[in-house]
Structures are given as structure tokens and as C-alpha cells.
Amino acid sequence: MAIGIDPTVDYVFKLLLGSPEHPAITLHFLNAILGDEIQITEVEILNPILGKDDDIDKLSILDVAARDSTGRLYDIEMQTTLPAGLSQRLAYYTASLYVSQIGEGDDYSLLRPAISICVLDAILLRQSLQIHSDFRLRNRDGTIELTEGLQIHLLELPKYMLPSDNRVVTDPVEAWCYFFRRADEMTAAEIRQRFSSSAFNEAAEVLEMIQRTPEQRNQYELRLKAQRDERARMQYAVDQARQEGEALGEARGAGRGRIELLRELLGVDQTSIADLSIEQLAALEGDLKRQLRERGV
């Protein structure tokens, strides 16, 4: 039977990647995202969930804050919707993480890289097919890096095409994409067979622990419902905006049609009205009707 616990639910995400009891999972994830440039061997979780009484209602505490043995700081988060201003928020959080390291009079050389990683179950960068996007401070052609101090990584899960075969997934970034998208439909045995790293065996154990622990299962269900409600609310807002846009377009089209007819009756110049707003169209229509009345038409 499938484990049935979705790792993209923020509470699960935090228990997987933000637990001091499972550093191997966090290390594997960070090394997958950062690639060969950095190989982390130790990581400290700075904001673990300590117990059942923790307030997990605020999404912000479900981010994972971590520091590696060289002092690099990490903020890792899961987003299942596409909130307004996400790009700006990521830039703001990363910059805040960077400047928070030193106080007045401290040497700038004390600053260590601040790295934000956002796993996104939505598509933010539609102009790119890349699943993993890596943003740094570089010159225009990307050949010179000013500093490694600020980094933002995006992992856009919907861009990952699930393989149709049963091969073992060895690429670490692909493995995490597969895990986030399919782990809830897999058994622990299937997870062990699919991935080459033992970190995923440990991740499967965390999912199983949540599934069989009443308190954690309850927290999971609450967060799952909250995320579904938020997604439904955002979808409703999108649908409403679309309907209002369509209604506005229909009204604008009808208004243009009436104005063109009035112009024909008056024999006036047919200048373009394509860019006029509803209010401007209504004012023009009223003026044309006045002219008709004055002519006794």
C-alpha cells in the first residue's frame, strides 16, 4: 500500500529537510541543488520543529533555516501556489539573511553566502524550460561573478516529466523532483528501488512515521487542508478575474458596435476607438446620441 503522505505539504517538507534527527536528507538535498561547486558535509538546522505544541499555523516557520560547517546560511521553502510578488520576496529574504550576519562596525569580510532555495509546485518562469534555475550576482554575459554571497535557486516541479520506465534515478536533482511529485503514491519498497541514494530510504521512513503517528498525521491533515483551501481560493480569484475580463470585453465590444452605428447615422469620421476604456466609450456614445437628438434623427 502506498504511504499516502505528500512531501510537498509544508509540514512534511519541514520534517523531511528541517529535522536535526535526519541531517543526511538535508545534506543530500543541498548537495543536489548546489551541485559540484559545493559539497556540504555538515549542516545545522536553526529552526527545528521541537514538539507537538509548536505553532505551525504560520507558513513562515515551516521554512527550513540551516547553516553548514563553513557558515553558509540557507533558507529552504516549499510553495504549492504562486503568490504575488514571489520573485521580489525571495530577493528580499535572501538579502535580509545576508545582512543579518553582521552588526554596526563589523568587517564585511565576515559575511558568508546567503542561499535561498524555493521548491515550487507551480511554474514561475514560463520563458524557460529549465527545472532548476540558479540566480547569482554576475555580469551581463554571465562570465564574471561579482560575489557568491547571494544565491536564489528555484526548483519548478511541474516542468519535470516523469519517466515511463522503472529505471533507478541517479541524477540527484531529478531524484528530488521525482520524489516530491510521486512519493505519496509509492510504497517504501518502491522508493528504495527507485532511488540510488540511502537518503531517500530515510525520507521514506519519515513519511511512514508521519502516516502512523496520530499527532503528526493530524498536523499533516490540517496543513493539507489549509493548502488545498488556499489553492482553491487563488483559483477562484483567477476564475473571477477571467469572467470579469470576458464581461468587460463583451461590454466594450457592444459599446463599439453602437458607436459605429451612431457614426454611420451621423456621417462622422470613423476614427479608431480600439483603445478607449468603457468609460470613454460611454461618454462618446452619449455625445453621439446628443448630436442625433439635436438633428432630430
Side-chain angles (χ1 to χ4, degrees), residues 109-294:
S109 63
L110 297 175
L111 288 168
R112 304 301 302 150
I115 303 170
S116 288
I117 303 172
C118 179
V119 181
L120 186 59
D121 196 15
I123 296 179
L124 176 65
L125 308 173
R126 297 192 176 276
Q127 67 273 34
S128 169
L129 295 177
Q130 287 186 321
I131 300 169
H132 173 208
S133 298
D134 176 357
F135 297 96
R136 312 284 185 97
L137 288 179
R138 296 188 176 100
N139 67 332
R140 186 180 293 272
D141 62 14
T143 58
I144 303 173
E145 185 173 85
L146 177 64
T147 174
E148 64 172 10
L150 296 169
Q151 299 179 31
I152 298 175
H153 295 261
L154 283 177
L155 197 64
E156 296 173 281
L157 299 180
K159 291 181 177 179
Y160 174 64
M161 300 299 294
L162 290 163
S164 58
D165 56 30
N166 293 320
R167 64 181 173 84
V168 174
V169 181
T170 56
D171 178 80
V173 173
E174 181 186 357
W176 278 105
C177 289
Y178 194 107
F179 180 82
F180 284 129
R181 291 198 61 186
R182 289 295 300 277
D184 63 323
E185 303 173 9
M186 303 172 72
T187 65
E190 288 171 337
I191 290 175
R192 286 191 292 270
Q193 293 169 4
R194 175 64 74 168
F195 305 108
S196 59
S197 172
S198 60
F200 291 100
N201 299 343
E202 193 168 340
E205 292 173 1
V206 173
L207 299 186
E208 286 186 311
M209 176 187 66
I210 297 170
Q211 197 278 333
R212 65 174 180 260
T213 306
E215 291 172 355
Q216 292 187 346
R217 180 69 189 227
N218 182 58
Q219 296 284 25
Y220 165 74
E221 296 291 349
L222 290 173
R223 291 307 309 156
L224 177 62
K225 181 181 183 301
Q227 289 186 194
R228 286 175 174 169
D229 289 349
E230 174 64 11
R231 186 173 293 177
R233 186 193 66 78
M234 293 186 69
Q235 186 59 51
Y236 176 78
V238 169
D239 291 343
Q240 287 293 105
R242 183 182 296 113
Q243 291 174 16
E244 291 173 6
E246 290 173 353
L248 183 63
E250 291 173 1
R252 186 174 293 165
R256 288 174 185 152
R258 292 193 299 270
I259 287 170
E260 289 170 0
L261 177 59
L262 290 168
R263 281 176 163 180
E264 289 179 10
L265 292 172
L266 288 166
V268 297
D269 181 35
Q270 297 286 330
T271 56
S272 175
I273 56 174
D275 296 330
L276 296 185
S277 67
I278 289 289
E279 292 77 11
Q280 291 170 321
L281 289 170
L284 178 56
E285 182 179 352
D287 183 60
L288 292 171
K289 286 179 177 178
R290 179 186 56 77
Q291 294 181 47
L292 277 176
R293 288 193 299 271
E294 290 175 352

Side-chain angles (χ1 to χ4, degrees), residues 24-39:
I25 303 175
T26 312
L27 285 170
H28 186 277
F29 177 78
L30 290 176
N31 283 322
I33 297 300
L34 300 175
D36 295 333
E37 176 183 345
I38 305 171
Q39 281 298 305

